[in-house]
Amino acid sequence: MNSADANYGFFTNKSMTHGFFNEILLRHMEWFEAADLSLKGMEGAIIANM
């Protein structure tokens, strides 16, 4: 079993990393509302898959 197989549900390490990178990039561009909404969406998806 590799590390990707150890993740259950929809999310993998790669998709989580990309999501958090996008949130950081949006904050760097000073798009704070978009970054907050992106993070809120990721949190909701994680909770829904628990």
Side-chain angles (χ1 to χ4, degrees), residues 19 27-28 32 37 48:
R27 290 196 189 282
H28 175 72
F32 301 113
L37 291 171

Side-chain angles (χ1 to χ4, degrees), residues 6-19:
N7 295 300
Y8 300 107
F10 177 77
F11 288 99
T12 63
N13 287 334
K14 188 175 182 179
S15 66
M16 291 298 295
T17 302
H18 285 285

Side-chain angles (χ1 to χ4, degrees), residues 9-49:
F10 177 77
F11 288 99
T12 63
N13 287 334
K14 188 175 182 179
S15 66
M16 291 298 295
T17 302
H18 285 285
F20 288 117
F21 174 77
N22 289 338
E23 189 256 342
I24 292 168
L25 182 62
L26 288 169
R27 290 196 189 282
H28 175 72
M29 297 186 322
E30 298 183 3
W31 292 8
F32 301 113
E33 185 178 359
D36 291 342
L37 291 171
S38 175
L39 188 58
K40 184 177 179 181
M42 284 193 306
E43 289 172 348
I46 292 167
I47 291 169
N49 282 306

